[in-house]
Amino acid sequence: MRSWAQLNARNRQMNTSLVLPIKLTCSSDTVLDIEDSSVFIARFSKGFVSLKIVLFRIMSFKQDIIQLLKPYYLFNILLSLSYVILKRVPGVCNYLFASDTCEFDGRETEILFFLIIVIAMRSRKAGSLSMINYLSSSFVYTKVANLILWFNADYLMGIIYAIIFILGALILPEPTYSGPDNRITRFRRRTFKNKNTTWLVAFYAVWNPACVTFAPLFAKLSTEYSLDNLKFGKIDIGRYPEAGKKYHVHDGSLSKQLPTIILFQEGKEVIRRPMADNKGKLIKFMFSEDNIKRVFGINGLFENCKNELKRKNNKGHIKKD
């Protein structure tokens, strides 16, 4: 017969052989569970970001539709499509153009084709991002093309169209941003030599469509990030051209520098967009919220300036104590 010591040793050996595989199995399952969880979290995060992008685009599209209902856009869309619509509508076409067929002739086709090329190239250079941007940058070209088409068809209709064109420009100017921008300081001329304040300054012209489109975005950034030592400013170089000359921002009708944003730190220019390359050629910049935050490091600037204010406040409390 075996002694109690031998039996206990035998039992411990059996228990170890039984428990060890279970532990190993549990350990491998745990690893699998962790891997599955990480894959699930990654997919969920990716899906959440995609959903956020889709919702942002839907909201932007909704805002564009609301903007299109304003008289300026409705009027200019009608003017831009007037010749094409009236030329293709049977009955109206026969009456206005004294023609049996409502088709475009060779000259009209050439003008319309050239118009499409001009709009595409101009919108590409302007870096238009939304439907409103494309429309704003193309209205001038479409209305001029319509003016040529109407004069080509009949001088009297061309004169009538020109009168409507001019009256519309006087009575219905392009809508400008009228939202809150009380965090933005407007200057006539200014040197940013204060080393304790960081300035993000927009150089713009009221008549420029790209500047009009950019105004709400700049106001939004100023509302979100403005601090006592991080400030936002605007200079209208159309009214104060000497400021444009000082900071080398041109305000001509063909200028590609509008708008221009310059970051000043410790009284010196640090970053500007759009900027020129080594050959002096401007590099196109898309004025979207993400691009501005990334290039100018808005989030980092905000945190640094906020921490600097906290340190100054703490020093002030220590001196008082």
Side-chain angles (χ1 to χ4, degrees):
M1 294 181 64
R2 297 180 181 178
S3 65
W4 282 105
Q6 291 176 335
L7 288 173
N8 288 334
R10 178 67 177 172
N11 288 336
R12 284 196 298 270
Q13 186 178 2
M14 291 178 65
N15 289 337
T16 303
S17 62
L18 289 173
V19 171
L20 185 59
I22 295 173
K23 286 183 179 180
L24 288 173
T25 304
C26 292
S27 178
S28 61
D29 289 343
T30 304
V31 171
L32 289 174
D33 289 341
I34 293 172
E35 290 179 352
D36 292 341
S37 299
S38 62
V39 171
F40 172 76
I41 292 171
R43 289 178 178 175
F44 178 80
S45 301
K46 187 176 180 181
F48 179 76
V49 171
S50 300
L51 179 61
K52 188 177 179 181
I53 293 172
V54 170
L55 290 174
F56 174 76
R57 289 178 177 175
I58 291 173
M59 291 299 294
S60 299
F61 181 74
K62 183 180 178 181
Q63 291 174 358
D64 287 346
I65 295 297
I66 295 173
Q67 192 83 346
L68 283 178
L69 297 177
K70 293 184 177 180
Y72 168 82
Y73 292 103
L74 293 175
F75 178 77
N76 281 279
I77 289 171
L78 289 175
L79 280 185
S80 300
L81 299 176
S82 61
Y83 190 87
V84 174
I85 293 174
L86 296 176
K87 180 71 175 181
R88 297 293 295 173
V89 176
V92 178
C93 165
N94 304 127
Y95 176 76
L96 288 177
F97 300 97
S99 175
D100 296 332
T101 59
C102 295
E103 300 290 338
F104 296 117
D105 59 27
R107 186 176 180 82
E108 292 169 338
T109 304
E110 289 175 0
I111 293 172
L112 291 172
F113 185 70
F114 181 72
L115 172 64
I116 292 171
I117 294 174
V118 170
I119 292 174
M121 292 179 63
R122 183 63 182 173
S123 298
R124 184 174 177 271
K125 289 180 180 179
S128 299
L129 296 171
S130 66
M131 178 171 56
I132 295 296
N133 293 12
Y134 279 112
L135 288 174
S136 298
S137 61
S138 64
F139 278 150
V140 173
Y141 305 102
T142 55
K143 289 186 289 187
V144 169
N146 273 267
L147 184 63
I148 295 171
L149 289 168
W150 281 113
F151 268 109
N152 181 61
D154 184 88
Y155 283 109
L156 179 60
M157 288 189 290
I159 293 171
I160 293 172
Y161 183 87
I163 293 171
I164 296 173
F165 184 169
I166 295 170
L167 288 176
L170 295 174
I171 298 172
L172 297 172
E174 184 172 1
T176 57
Y177 178 70
S178 57
D181 59 353
N182 54 336
R183 296 297 186 93
I184 298 176
T185 305
R186 287 175 169 78
F187 305 112
R188 295 184 180 181
R189 57 181 69 86
R190 172 83 187 232
T191 55
F192 304 93
K193 293 183 178 180
N194 187 349
K195 294 185 177 182
N196 297 322
T197 304
T198 298
W199 282 96
L200 194 66
V201 183
F203 295 79
Y204 73 104
V206 176
W207 51 265
N208 186 273
C211 295
V212 174
T213 306
F214 175 66
L217 175 56
F218 196 68
K220 179 184 177 185
L221 291 172
S222 69
T223 302
E224 292 179 1
Y225 293 98
S226 183
L227 295 168
D228 289 341
N229 56 350
L230 175 59
K231 297 184 178 181
F232 291 74
K234 295 178 76 173
I235 299 179
D236 183 357
I237 60 173
R239 293 181 62 187
Y240 310 108
E242 64 277 5
K245 291 178 181 178
K246 181 175 181 178
Y247 294 102
H248 309 289
V249 181
H250 301 290
D251 64 336
S253 59
L254 299 178
S255 174
K256 299 177 183 177
Q257 290 184 278
L258 295 174
T260 288
I261 304 179
I262 302 179
L263 175 67
F264 295 92
Q265 285 184 302
E266 297 184 354
K268 298 179 181 179
E269 177 181 330
V270 179
I271 306 172
R272 78 160 59 199
R273 289 294 185 276
M275 61 178 291
D277 59 15
N278 296 330
K279 297 180 180 179
K281 184 179 179 181
L282 283 177
I283 301 172
K284 183 178 68 174
F285 182 74
M286 307 289 276
F287 283 95
S288 65
E289 183 175 353
D290 291 336
N291 277 354
I292 294 172
K293 287 181 178 180
R294 176 178 56 82
V295 171
F296 291 91
I298 302 292
N299 291 315
L301 285 174
F302 180 76
E303 291 299 325
N304 292 337
C305 292
K306 188 167 66 172
N307 292 334
E308 184 65 26
L309 287 176
K310 288 181 180 178
R311 284 195 293 269
K312 288 183 178 180
N313 291 333
N314 291 336
K315 288 181 181 179
H317 288 309
I318 291 172
K319 288 181 179 179
K320 289 180 180 179
D321 294 339

